[in-house]
Amino acid sequence: MSLLTLLPFIVLIGAMFLMTRSAKKKQQQAIDMRNQMQPGSGVRTIGGMYATVKEVSDDTVLLDAGPGVELLFAKNSIGAVLTDDEYNRIVHGIEHDLKSDADVVPDDASSLTETDDSSAVHDDAPVDLGKKEPVDASADTVDAAPADAGTDAADKAKTDEQAKKSDGGPEAK
């Protein structure tokens, strides 16, 4: 047999060796993690239950799942041993934030709208919205916009009815 015909078999055996090696590493890491459990540490079972370790024996773990609830599990059923911060965040909702309090978003948006001093708009300066002041306030025509911005919808409806009647709309007949 030539080396060329044996090459696919050699590659296949090498791939199988690498896959079993990585699986053994993962199993060893899981065993080490389970052996590091101590009473008081928070854990997550493979079923997704969060509890605190009460006692650890060779093959079993006694978990405290709440007030008066103690459960006996096999060590293999522990999916992860959690850090204290992670356990408190998940179970109790306590956030242990390492950032400073300055990074927290305030309840109001006042700090989000701060600008530099050079481009700051002062509160005393009038804001230009692009509206023009009416030149003659005594001119009351139907086509002119009312000078008062607070006119209600009833006045607008009345001027619309007058315009329809003067144009010969259906109500004029």
Side-chain angles (χ1 to χ4, degrees):
M1 281 195 195
S2 70
L3 186 61
L4 192 58
T5 57
L6 291 176
L7 186 63
F9 293 113
I10 294 171
V11 170
L12 183 64
I13 291 171
M16 288 174 36
F17 174 73
L18 291 175
M19 286 189 294
T20 57
R21 184 175 168 199
S22 66
K24 284 182 182 180
K25 278 187 176 181
K26 286 181 183 178
Q27 285 178 348
Q28 187 61 39
Q29 287 175 349
I31 290 170
D32 291 341
M33 180 254 325
R34 290 180 184 122
N35 287 335
Q36 291 175 358
M37 282 188 298
Q38 298 174 0
S41 60
V43 295
R44 181 183 68 236
T45 65
I46 58 173
M49 185 184 73
Y50 293 93
T52 305
V53 176
K54 191 167 186 178
E55 292 179 14
V56 179
S57 65
D58 292 338
D59 296 331
T60 61
V61 178
L62 183 65
L63 300 178
D64 183 16
V69 181
E70 294 179 353
L71 305 167
L72 186 65
F73 276 85
K75 260 190 178 179
N76 293 340
S77 66
I78 303 300
V81 177
L82 308 172
T83 63
D84 290 337
D85 292 337
E86 185 178 9
Y87 181 76
N88 287 332
R89 180 183 58 82
I90 293 170
V91 175
H92 303 295
I94 299 170
E95 291 287 333
H96 180 70
D97 194 12
L98 298 176
K99 297 178 182 177
S100 66
D101 291 337
D103 294 340
V104 177
V105 177
D107 290 337
D108 62 345
S110 62
S111 66
L112 299 176
T113 58
E114 292 178 357
T115 58
D116 295 337
D117 290 337
S118 61
S119 63
V121 176
H122 299 291
D123 291 336
D124 339 350
V127 178
D128 182 23
L129 299 176
K131 294 183 177 180
K132 302 293 181 189
E133 293 287 328
V135 178
D136 187 15
S138 63
D140 291 328
T141 62
V142 177
D143 296 337
D148 186 17
T151 57
D152 58 339
D155 292 341
K156 182 171 175 42
K158 195 183 296 183
T159 57
D160 288 343
E161 285 178 8
Q162 290 174 355
K164 285 180 184 178
K165 288 180 182 178
S166 64
D167 290 339
E171 299 166 351
K173 293 181 182 177

